[in-house]
Amino acid sequence: MKLRIFVTLKPGVLDPQGRAIHHALGSLGFQGVEDVRTGKLIEMEVADGTTDDAIDGMCRQLLANTVIENYRVERA
Amino acid sequence: MKLRIFVTLKPGVLDPQGRAIHHALGSLGFQGVEDVRTGKLIEMEVADGTTDDAIDGMCRQLLANTVIENYRVERA
């Protein structure tokens, strides 16, 4: 089973990388960009029997810092 | 218009971060994880009139290193 896990900063958490991208796009002449936020994408191949609880555990214990980050799991 | 841009390493390109996650999941006792690949997610708010060419330009010039990375754009 293939998983795609998206880890994004919670709203309100400062995102310096996103700011840098926003600024750089402006310098390169791209108009109309209003906001940029960055996150992580983790693609994983797991055994078919992997439970939702196990996947949730992976996210909470390792992949996301739930104090400042949200995560979302997609099964592909 | 909201864009979500996924930047992933091309197949065959070494992914040390993915390896480290794979190893750490094993150490934490999560079984059955076969492969882990990491990527970047960039969420962007752009003006409605932004053309596909402009979006492609942003990806090629700044967001992705097309020598080793693929990108995919999703409109939300």
Side-chain angles (χ1 to χ4, degrees):
Chain A
M1 178 170 60
K2 198 165 179 182
L3 299 179
R4 312 181 76 212
I5 298 167
F6 305 95
V7 179
T8 50
L9 287 168
K10 289 188 175 174
V13 177
L14 197 68
D15 181 2
Q17 196 186 358
R19 282 236 183 143
I21 291 173
H22 192 172
H23 185 256
L25 286 172
S27 305
L28 287 169
F30 293 106
Q31 305 293 317
V33 180
E34 272 146 53
D35 188 37
V36 182
R37 302 281 288 172
T38 58
K40 281 176 282 183
L41 163 65
I42 298 145
E43 291 178 322
M44 226 186 260
E45 185 66 44
V46 297
D48 284 345
T50 309
T51 62
D52 285 2
D53 275 0
I55 296 166
D56 219 57
M58 292 179 198
C59 293
R60 291 185 172 276
Q61 285 181 52
L62 184 73
L63 303 175
N65 174 356
T66 53
V67 177
I68 56 166
E69 291 171 329
N70 289 325
Y71 63 89
R72 190 165 64 79
V73 179
E74 209 173 74
R75 269 148 248 256
Chain B
M1 179 169 58
K2 197 165 181 181
L3 298 179
R4 310 182 77 212
I5 299 167
F6 305 95
V7 179
T8 49
L9 286 168
K10 289 187 177 175
V13 177
L14 197 69
D15 181 2
Q17 197 186 358
R19 282 235 184 143
I21 291 173
H22 192 172
H23 185 255
L25 286 173
S27 305
L28 287 169
F30 294 105
Q31 305 293 318
V33 179
E34 272 145 54
D35 188 38
V36 182
R37 302 281 289 172
T38 59
K40 280 175 284 182
L41 164 64
I42 299 146
E43 292 179 322
M44 223 186 262
E45 185 66 45
V46 297
D48 284 344
T50 309
T51 63
D52 285 2
D53 276 1
I55 296 166
D56 219 56
M58 292 179 198
C59 294
R60 293 186 171 277
Q61 285 180 54
L62 184 73
L63 304 175
N65 174 356
T66 53
V67 177
I68 56 166
E69 291 171 329
N70 290 325
Y71 63 89
R72 191 165 64 79
V73 179
E74 209 173 75
R75 270 147 247 256

